[in-house]
Amino acid sequence: MNAVAPHLGFSQAIDLLEIETARVPQVDCPTVHRFAGGVYFRETSAPAGTLVTTKIHLTEHPFMLLKGTVRVFTEGGGVVELTAPYCGVTKVGTRRACYCVTDVVWVTFHATESTDVAEIEKTLFLDYDHGGVKLEAALEAQ
């Protein structure tokens, strides 16, 4: 990041991080979608050395770190290192940047009767465009 980063708010710093990391080759972090008994399970895997940023969450929901160790940067919480097995709760408005120290498997759980992933995602994540700047436009401008 540049010298301006220390003066940014948390969400703006994550925006900048996403814009800058979009310049390098991206890592495949597959997500598996499962459904049972009115619950949507969202399981994402990421290899060691990966930097992952999350969307802004619209719901409170449980999560489990099933495998690995991850350093989580959260607003107001600084850096927390989590090692599997770990269970936690994501609060409304949460946005994270995570560095995968090892290969990681992270699962979230959401109450819903829907099995339409695109429709479910509309209820889970804020439709956010980097503070009014689309990522593609920001990259082209630089």
Side-chain angles (χ1 to χ4, degrees):
M1 289 199 206
N2 61 34
V4 176
H7 306 289
L8 297 176
F10 180 79
S11 194
Q12 293 166 323
I14 300 250
D15 289 346
L16 179 60
L17 182 64
E18 288 179 347
I19 290 167
E20 292 300 320
T21 57
R23 298 173 185 280
V24 299
Q26 300 299 292
V27 175
D28 184 36
C29 297
T31 299
V32 176
H33 308 280
R34 295 187 176 92
F35 303 90
V39 178
Y40 166 49
F41 302 71
R42 183 180 180 89
E43 178 182 315
T44 303
S45 299
T50 303
L51 180 64
V52 176
T53 58
T54 70
K55 297 180 181 184
I56 298 171
H57 295 81
L58 296 175
T59 64
E60 180 176 279
H61 56 272
F63 72 87
M64 294 180 70
L65 181 61
L66 297 182
K67 175 184 175 182
T69 297
V70 62
R71 290 189 186 121
V72 181
F73 304 82
T74 59
E75 187 170 16
V79 179
V80 178
E81 187 167 281
L82 307 178
T83 299
Y86 182 86
C87 296
V89 175
T90 297
K91 301 291 185 183
V92 172
T94 296
R95 188 173 187 197
R96 298 181 179 102
C98 305
Y99 175 74
C100 301
V101 178
T102 66
D103 292 352
V104 167
V105 176
W106 186 294
V107 182
T108 60
F109 305 89
H110 309 275
T112 182
E113 293 301 324
S114 178
T115 57
D116 181 334
V117 173
E119 195 62 35
I120 294 168
E121 287 179 342
K122 291 178 186 176
T123 69
L124 298 181
F125 308 117
L126 182 63
D127 184 14
Y128 184 72
D129 64 357
H130 297 87
V133 178
K134 293 289 185 192
L135 185 57
E136 296 82 12
L139 289 172
E140 288 173 8
Q142 297 189 13

